[in-house]
Amino acid sequence: MHAFDVLGDPVRRRILELLADGEQSSGAITAAVQAEFGISQPAVSQHLRVLREHGFAVVRAEGTRRLYAVDAAPLQEVDEWLAHFRKFWTQHLDALATELARGKRERRKAP
């Protein structure tokens, strides 16, 4: 499965967003995802398994709990692939920065 196949699912993207804030228990992830997407606990577990098997998440046992965290390596690969396309949006961001600076100058000049 390609990285974009893994990231193409909104539930898996949301799980990674949750994990980006730090290590989370499977119970906390399940509760958040169930509340947002209305899916079952086994469905959440399946998404966690996909993330784990494809290297996007790691899990460690702490007693009876399972704690998940992001593994950044596959995300770095995605970032490297996206580097080819950054030119399409960095020019727009540079133009936005120029316009914001122009607006600040004009506001300072105004009485």
Side-chain angles (χ1 to χ4, degrees):
M1 186 179 284
H2 189 275
F4 288 106
D5 294 325
V6 174
L7 298 174
D9 187 281
V11 173
R12 290 193 284 268
R13 287 194 310 269
R14 180 61 181 133
I15 291 170
L16 286 174
E17 289 170 359
L18 293 168
L19 295 177
D21 291 335
E23 192 175 59
Q24 300 278 329
S25 70
S26 58
I29 295 166
T30 298
V33 171
Q34 283 181 313
E36 290 181 43
F37 293 92
I39 62 176
S40 67
Q41 182 276 325
V44 176
S45 293
Q46 179 70 16
H47 286 293
L48 286 168
R49 185 178 67 79
V50 169
L51 290 170
R52 208 175 48 246
E53 287 180 354
H54 292 90
F56 285 86
V58 293
V59 64
R60 71 178 180 87
E62 186 177 87
T64 59
R65 294 175 9 147
R66 299 290 172 261
L67 299 172
Y68 284 83
V70 169
D71 186 342
L75 294 172
Q76 289 171 338
E77 292 174 20
V78 169
D79 185 56
E80 289 169 11
W81 185 83
L82 286 171
H84 297 84
F85 304 96
R86 278 203 182 85
K87 63 184 175 190
F88 295 112
W89 63 80
T90 54
Q91 293 171 354
H92 297 292
L93 293 175
D94 291 344
L96 175 61
T98 301
E99 289 302 315
L100 291 173
R102 183 176 292 138
K104 285 180 184 177
R105 279 194 309 272
E106 290 175 6
R107 283 193 302 273
R108 282 191 300 241
K109 290 179 182 178

